[in-house]
Amino acid sequence: MKIVIIGAVAAGATAATNIRKISKDSEIILLEKGRDTSFKNCEIPYYLSEMVKDSKDLIARNPEAFKKKNDIDARNFNEAISIDRDKKEVLVKDIKNDKTYTESYDKLIISTGASPFIPDSIKGLDKDRENVFKVENVVDVENIRAYIKEKNAKKIIVNGAGFIGIEAAENLNELDEVDIYLIVRSRVLEANIDEELAGFVEENIRKHINMIKNDEIIKVEDDELILKSGKKLDYDVLINAIGIKPNSEIAKKAGLKLTESGAIDTDRNFLTNDPDIYAIGDVIEVYNPLTRKNSKLNLAWPAHREAKFVAKHIFNMAGKSPSFIGSFSLRSFDMNIASTGLSRKVLESENIAFESTLIRHNDSVDILPYSKPMNMKILFDSHTGLIYGIQAVGEGDVVKRVDIVAGLVGMGADIYDLYDTELSYQPIFSTPEDALNTLASQAIDIFEGDLKHVNLYELKDKINDFRIIDIRSKEAFDKSHIRGAENIESSKIRENLDLINKDEKTLLYCNSSNIAKSLTKFLISQGFNKVYMLEGSMVFLEKYVDVLGLDLLER
């Protein structure tokens, strides 16, 4: 069997090597239009900081290694131009020799990935400027690092606050005597974490670099950027990282079906509408068992799983097709970020009934000097308690916790399963009842009706429906409080229940919700059924209003 693979990075290279493991006789041709085959895509930002010293370390396997180790014919600088489905041939351009040729196939795998997206709203990028870059491959980061060194560039603008933008900004900030700016059109990591947690990330970014928020570039000139606000910003280097789009042009020209987002449409076996053509990696959408729909998920782990599955499917050896809930982690300066499953935005767009709750909890026993805080949010089915997702940010070990929940979500676990999850305890690594158990306990209180609450995103619309009581100290209240709130310390309420009117809807908040939760549950147990807790209280609220620019606080 002759198998041609278009695209030789994560998905394509993995498919090729796994096909060889299954079949010793198949002819495998791996086409890559760029210089490098099988490079370590996720590691390339760390070359900018010189954490990775030599760019050669970013190449997992070059064409010679593919041939020697796997008997795979890997060809760099060979770009697939078009597909003739009737003849089962690919037209290929040999870029180095400036000639074209055709390559026949029995099975074809399209793994062309995705490329940085530049909207038409940004003018001036049609001109080839030596100081404007993207972060897509090894050549890109080599060029950025070389340019900064050769030109002694100091002022670097990163346009975009997703994965790539934050990673690029963080790594560039490690260089000596540079001034880094991050331009954020709305808020950071909009597709991955909700507003309640985004504020912690933005605050942390501001401690390390300059952040321009709620603005965007509309024109690029040689040494000046024009922003939508009218501001002008001089620069030495501009790095565009504002999004990516699937490289599906060759599939479209071949008459293969695309999705609304422009990705190649595939079935659960990653087959296109042509029975001899597969598509894998960032150029497709994948099935999410929580929404029961396909959606974009540009991550390395799904790409590798898809590749391994297709290798087996070609030879009728595949089992259950993989599905993906979407798990990611990120380091942003000295903050850790992770999430898995569905966000509020997705749940609302899919009209899925859900509840959520927030906690702040340390990752280890707080008397130890290296105990660090974590800010966490869990989302779950309001009817069944099924876990839909979790998000966490903080200096503490949030990745470990999110990974645990990712495994549980994949098995269809609910909040009771999470509460009963047995986690190892040692003061250095955790608390006697881990943050996850505590988070699940609070979710169960809400689910069972023992704790009534108001979410931060509901406060703006519901603020006039409640008598709002700040149960912190007067000193804390005077420093910052919700507009219209009154200050009654929690101990006074416990000592004199007459301070609360049973017939009046009352909203309690404290610093991080722990005391408000306890008092709310106590009052409900005493028959005060119109008492609610504000999710996250002031720790979360102060960040939330900053992210959205809301006027809810008196400071």
Side-chain angles (χ1 to χ4, degrees):
M1 183 182 293
K2 184 176 181 180
I3 302 165
V4 174
I5 303 171
I6 304 174
V9 190
T14 301
T17 54
N18 277 268
I19 289 168
R20 177 57 74 220
K21 290 176 184 177
I22 295 169
S23 172
K24 303 301 180 184
D25 302 322
S26 292
E27 181 182 0
I28 306 170
I29 297 175
L30 192 55
L31 302 173
E32 172 55 49
K33 69 178 182 180
R35 186 194 69 183
D36 301 312
T37 58
S38 190
F39 65 85
K40 302 173 182 179
N41 201 313
C42 297
E43 289 89 333
I44 59 175
Y46 299 96
Y47 181 73
L48 298 175
S49 63
E50 302 187 17
M51 186 183 299
V52 175
K53 299 293 184 184
D54 191 339
S55 62
K56 291 179 182 178
D57 293 334
L58 295 169
I59 313 300
R61 197 166 297 186
N62 59 27
E64 292 75 21
F66 272 111
K67 187 65 178 176
K68 183 178 180 179
K69 295 181 179 180
N70 309 99
D71 191 24
I72 291 170
D73 183 1
R75 307 172 187 171
N76 59 348
F77 295 115
N78 276 250
E79 181 179 7
I81 302 299
S82 62
I83 302 166
D84 188 324
R85 291 166 53 195
D86 294 328
K87 293 182 179 180
K88 296 182 72 171
E89 290 179 343
V90 179
L91 179 65
V92 184
K93 181 178 181 180
D94 182 338
I95 297 171
K96 274 191 171 181
N97 297 309
D98 194 24
K99 65 179 183 179
T100 59
Y101 63 93
T102 58
E103 198 68 67
S104 63
Y105 65 86
D106 295 311
K107 298 292 182 183
L108 178 66
I109 301 174
I110 302 174
S111 177
T112 44
S115 294
F117 168 69
I118 304 298
D120 295 336
S121 59
I122 302 180
K123 306 302 180 184
L125 287 177
D126 53 337
K127 182 179 178 181
D128 187 20
R129 290 182 170 84
E130 65 173 1
N131 61 343
V132 177
F133 301 91
K134 55 184 174 62
V135 182
E136 184 179 7
N137 53 44
V138 179
V139 175
D140 290 332
V141 292
E142 286 176 341
N143 290 339
I144 293 170
R145 202 162 104 175
Y147 184 88
I148 291 172
K149 184 176 182 180
E150 291 168 8
K151 303 293 185 179
N152 195 28
K154 298 300 183 184
K155 191 169 184 178
I156 303 172
I157 314 298
V158 179
N159 186 25
F163 293 172
I164 296 172
I166 290 176
E167 287 177 337
E170 177 195 7
N171 281 277
L172 289 165
N173 195 52
E174 293 295 315
L175 303 179
D176 293 333
E177 298 179 354
V178 292
D179 199 10
I180 309 297
Y181 285 74
L182 184 68
I183 298 181
V184 185
R185 185 171 60 177
S186 54
R187 66 174 179 84
V188 300
L189 299 170
E190 194 165 2
N192 303 101
I193 60 172
D194 293 332
E195 294 95 334
E196 297 97 319
L197 299 181
F200 294 97
V201 182
E202 292 186 2
E203 180 184 62
N204 184 260
I205 290 173
R206 284 193 182 97
K207 290 179 181 178
H208 298 274
I209 62 172
N210 306 288
M211 188 168 76
I212 299 174
K213 195 163 179 253
N214 298 318
D215 211 345
E216 57 186 297
I217 298 171
I218 60 171
K219 188 176 181 181
V220 177
E221 297 180 347
D222 288 341
D223 55 5
E224 190 174 63
L225 304 174
I226 312 300
L227 305 185
K228 190 174 182 179
S229 64
K231 291 180 181 178
K232 294 183 179 181
L233 193 65
D234 63 290
Y235 72 102
D236 296 321
V237 171
L238 170 64
I239 297 174
N240 280 305
I242 53 178
I244 58 176
K245 63 177 181 178
N247 296 323
S248 57
E249 295 82 3
I250 192 170
K252 183 178 180 180
K253 287 196 300 182
L256 296 177
K257 186 179 178 182
L258 304 184
T259 68
E260 289 185 7
S261 70
I264 301 175
D265 193 22
T266 63
D267 65 12
R268 289 299 308 279
N269 297 316
F270 307 105
L271 272 168
T272 67
N273 53 301
D274 186 312
D276 293 314
I277 302 179
Y278 295 84
I280 55 176
D282 289 352
V283 75
I284 69 169
E285 296 177 352
V286 296
Y287 182 75
N288 188 317
L290 298 174
T291 61
R292 300 183 181 181
K293 292 182 179 180
N294 285 359
S295 58
K296 286 184 179 181
L297 187 61
N298 299 318
L299 295 171
W301 197 84
H304 283 276
R305 284 296 171 122
E306 295 155 23
K308 292 180 178 183
F309 176 87
V310 165
K312 291 181 178 180
H313 193 269
I314 288 172
F315 296 96
N316 299 312
M317 297 172 61
K320 179 184 176 183
S321 60
S323 57
F324 307 97
I325 60 173
S327 301
F328 98 98
S329 57
L330 176 70
R331 190 187 73 173
S332 175
F333 300 94
D334 52 6
M335 176 166 281
N336 303 313
I337 306 165
S339 77
T340 191
L342 305 181
S343 66
R344 177 169 71 91
K345 182 178 179 180
V346 173
L347 288 164
E348 289 179 342
S349 68
E350 296 294 332
N351 294 315
I352 298 173
F354 73 97
E355 273 285 8
S356 64
T357 194
L358 304 164
I359 66 165
R360 165 168 277 204
H361 199 287
N362 278 29
D363 62 352
S364 59
V365 174
D366 59 10
I367 62 172
L368 298 179
Y370 33 74
S371 179
K372 303 295 184 184
M374 304 180 293
N375 306 292
M376 309 175 74
K377 177 180 181 179
I378 191 169
L379 303 103
F380 55 95
D381 190 307
S382 55
H383 300 299
T384 67
L386 184 76
I387 301 171
Y388 285 135
I390 185 173
Q391 305 167 16
V393 305
E395 296 175 9
D397 189 358
V398 302
V399 175
K400 165 187 171 181
R401 273 79 185 181
V402 169
D403 282 346
I404 290 168
V405 178
L408 290 170
V409 172
M411 295 186 289
D414 60 30
I415 53 179
Y416 294 90
D417 296 317
L418 179 58
Y419 178 70
D420 290 329
T421 297
E422 182 179 351
L423 301 172
S424 63
Y425 166 59
Q426 205 282 338
I428 293 175
F429 302 111
S430 60
T431 52
E433 182 171 79
D434 189 77
L436 288 180
N437 305 117
T438 302
L439 181 61
S441 175
Q442 186 162 299
I444 289 169
D445 284 338
I446 292 168
F447 182 72
E448 295 182 348
D450 294 330
L451 177 63
K452 296 183 178 182
H453 70 146
V454 172
N455 290 295
L456 293 184
Y457 58 84
E458 299 174 309
L459 181 61
K460 181 181 177 183
D461 295 328
K462 292 186 175 183
I463 194 168
N464 295 322
D465 298 340
F466 290 89
R467 177 192 181 192
I468 302 176
I469 302 177
D470 185 322
I471 60 173
R472 300 173 300 159
S473 67
K474 185 178 185 302
E475 182 182 9
F477 178 83
D478 290 342
K479 185 176 180 181
S480 175
H481 60 266
I482 296 175
R483 290 189 179 279
E486 57 186 292
N487 181 216
I488 308 176
E489 293 187 24
S490 58
S491 59
K492 294 180 180 178
I493 294 175
R494 284 184 178 272
E495 294 165 1
N496 187 3
L497 297 183
D498 290 341
L499 292 172
I500 305 297
N501 184 344
K502 285 187 175 183
D503 297 322
E504 185 178 21
K505 290 179 71 175
T506 303
L507 181 64
L508 306 180
Y509 70 91
C510 58
N511 185 47
S512 63
S513 286
N514 289 333
I515 298 173
K517 176 178 70 174
S518 175
L519 184 56
T520 300
K521 288 181 66 177
F522 169 73
L523 290 171
I524 290 173
S525 72
Q526 299 299 307
F528 292 82
N529 294 318
K530 292 187 176 183
V531 176
Y532 293 72
M533 172 195 76
L534 178 63
E535 279 291 343
S537 288
M538 287 299 289
V539 165
F540 286 84
L541 181 60
E542 287 184 324
K543 308 295 186 298
Y544 177 77
V545 298
D546 288 342
V547 163
L548 297 181
L550 300 177
D551 185 25
L552 294 177
L553 299 178
E554 292 183 14
R555 299 179 177 179

